[in-house]
Amino acid sequence: MERADVGGRSWGRGRALAVSAVLTAALLAFHRAVPNSLGGLGSLLESFLPWLGLVVVVLLALALLRRSAIALVALLLPVAAWTYLFGGLLLPGPQPGAGDLVVVQHNVSDENSDPAGTARALAEAGPDLIALQELVSPALAVYERTLAADYPYRTVRGTVGLWSKHPVTDVRLLDIKPRGITENWSRGLRAVVHTPHREVAVYVAHLPSVRVRASGLASSWRNESAVLLGRAVAAEELRTVILMGDLNGTVDDRALDPLTARLDAAERGVAFSFPTAFPVARIDQVMARSATVRHIRSLPATGSDHLPVVARITPH
């Protein structure tokens, strides 16, 4: 009778923890059901969705502390949901292939006090392509000078640029400017890179910033710009497309659906890139069409408030 009583108590205690576990699982599995009409709450949740894993860890510790069997069983739900969504990102990437492209994406910051050091750090990763945002004078000239030897082909439009080891042609400005921005604003380009294996349409973009306010997530300009960029990608005639940019959003954020519906994100790697002091989200993205982003990782900090990310891409 005593053993049965102990077992009963272990199942009876921790009901609040069990309910919390079920709610966490529901948020992970059905995050799209959280409405964006309430101050962009859905996008805000999706921007930090992987961090719900920490909630699971805390609940697990409390369940063990309380010796709650019902809470431990309930925790299987959020563990399964988190593993389904993000577990694959933690697996090691495949071995490099002969036709792979290595690319670096970095918002270098218009307040970067060491553009030469930043340029050297990016080149040390040995990428085929380097995409940069927030290029301003006089730092732009430093990037051009420092990268010239290893990256003889480059193009800059507004505050975004592309450096390449392979020839670049057919460059054009991308109009991704939201209607509400009236000042001079140019943050997108499209170019064709002639790699040894095929021609690739490369897009470099910097979407407008978002702000977290008391009223919620202010992201209307970012969202509008994402729609315009998605239309440009959809109209691209070349089969293989690579998009690199500071998109000011994670691939889980529904506001980037115009892009994630047309382009594939990284299969492996987490690569949180912002902010440098304590990266909590990857808003610097590398995505592709008719190609697979095999792995993405962050590089050490530069003089920017973003971390660079480097990705390996296998064209199909």
Side-chain angles (χ1 to χ4, degrees), residues 27-74:
L27 285 175
L28 284 163
F30 305 108
H31 55 90
R32 291 279 177 146
V34 178
N36 245 352
S37 56
L38 300 174
L41 185 59
S43 284
L44 185 61
L45 169 66
E46 290 159 349
S47 297
F48 302 101
L49 199 61
W51 291 95
L52 285 180
L54 285 182
V55 176
V56 178
V57 173
V58 172
L59 291 176
L60 174 61
L62 292 173
L64 292 173
L65 185 64
R66 295 210 60 191
R67 300 181 182 179
S68 170
I70 190 173
L72 290 172
V73 171

Side-chain angles (χ1 to χ4, degrees), residues 13 34 44 48 50 67 70 85 89 93 104 108 115 120 153 162 167 184 214 309:
R13 67 167 69 98
V34 178
L44 185 61
F48 302 101
R67 300 181 182 179
I70 190 173
L85 290 172
L89 299 176
V104 162
V108 295
R120 288 192 295 268
Y153 308 99
L162 175 67
N184 188 26
V309 297

Side-chain angles (χ1 to χ4, degrees), residues 215-288:
S215 58
L217 193 69
S219 61
S220 59
W221 283 354
R222 190 275 310 269
N223 301 350
E224 183 180 349
S225 193
V227 170
L228 295 172
L229 182 56
R231 289 174 182 168
V233 169
E236 176 57 55
E237 296 181 353
L238 280 182
R239 180 170 178 264
T240 304
V241 175
I242 296 174
L243 167 64
M244 297 178 282
D246 174 4
L247 304 186
N248 273 302
T250 71
V251 293
D252 300 303
D253 187 343
R254 71 193 71 178
L256 296 190
D257 281 356
L259 300 170
T260 54
R262 298 180 172 99
L263 301 165
D264 294 324
E267 291 184 339
R268 301 285 186 267
V270 179
F272 290 158
S273 65
F274 183 83
T276 296
F278 185 73
V280 295
R282 186 176 80 237
I283 61 175
D284 295 271
Q285 306 294 349
V286 177
M287 294 189 277

Side-chain angles (χ1 to χ4, degrees), residues 5-312:
D5 183 58
V6 171
R9 287 201 302 270
S10 70
W11 282 102
R13 67 167 69 98
R15 287 191 177 91
L17 293 176
V19 170
S20 298
V22 172
L23 290 175
T24 302
L27 285 175
L28 284 163
F30 305 108
H31 55 90
R32 291 279 177 146
V34 178
N36 245 352
S37 56
L38 300 174
L41 185 59
S43 284
L44 185 61
L45 169 66
E46 290 159 349
S47 297
F48 302 101
L49 199 61
W51 291 95
L52 285 180
L54 285 182
V55 176
V56 178
V57 173
V58 172
L59 291 176
L60 174 61
L62 292 173
L64 292 173
L65 185 64
R66 295 210 60 191
R67 300 181 182 179
S68 170
I70 190 173
L72 290 172
V73 171
L75 278 167
L76 294 175
L77 294 173
V79 168
W82 192 95
T83 302
Y84 175 79
L85 290 172
F86 305 112
L89 299 176
L90 303 180
L91 297 175
Q95 292 298 314
D100 288 358
L101 290 172
V102 177
V103 305
V104 162
Q105 149 61 31
H106 191 28
N107 179 329
V108 295
S109 175
D110 54 10
E111 298 180 350
N112 193 324
S113 61
D114 185 20
T118 297
R120 288 192 295 268
L122 302 180
E124 284 175 2
D128 297 274
L129 305 174
I130 299 176
L132 304 182
Q133 298 84 43
E134 295 199 12
L135 294 169
V136 294
S137 297
L140 173 58
V142 178
Y143 290 112
E144 292 174 331
R145 184 170 60 251
T146 307
L147 294 171
D150 294 324
Y151 298 89
Y153 308 99
R154 61 113 180 128
T155 181
V156 177
R157 293 292 185 275
T159 58
V160 302
L162 175 67
W163 276 256
S164 173
K165 289 184 175 181
H166 314 295
V168 176
T169 62
D170 299 332
V171 181
R172 68 169 183 259
L173 182 70
L174 283 179
D175 183 10
I176 58 172
K177 178 180 176 180
R179 289 167 295 178
I181 297 178
T182 57
E183 65 267 22
N184 188 26
W185 194 93
S186 178
R187 291 190 179 186
L189 68 82
R190 178 264 189 192
V192 176
V193 176
H194 300 263
T195 75
H197 300 280
R198 70 187 64 200
E199 293 182 344
V200 178
V202 177
Y203 287 70
V204 181
H206 183 189
L207 302 190
S209 299
V210 300
R211 296 287 184 268
V212 179
R213 299 171 178 165
S215 58
L217 193 69
S219 61
S220 59
W221 283 354
R222 190 275 310 269
N223 301 350
E224 183 180 349
S225 193
V227 170
L228 295 172
L229 182 56
R231 289 174 182 168
V233 169
E236 176 57 55
E237 296 181 353
L238 280 182
R239 180 170 178 264
T240 304
V241 175
I242 296 174
L243 167 64
M244 297 178 282
D246 174 4
L247 304 186
N248 273 302
T250 71
V251 293
D252 300 303
D253 187 343
R254 71 193 71 178
L256 296 190
D257 281 356
L259 300 170
T260 54
R262 298 180 172 99
L263 301 165
D264 294 324
E267 291 184 339
R268 301 285 186 267
V270 179
F272 290 158
S273 65
F274 183 83
T276 296
F278 185 73
V280 295
R282 186 176 80 237
I283 61 175
D284 295 271
Q285 306 294 349
V286 177
M287 294 189 277
R289 184 180 78 189
S290 295
T292 300
V293 185
R294 295 293 185 190
H295 188 264
I296 191 169
R297 62 184 175 89
S298 57
L299 294 175
T302 66
S304 171
D305 55 343
H306 292 241
L307 293 178
V309 297
V310 57
R312 183 174 295 278

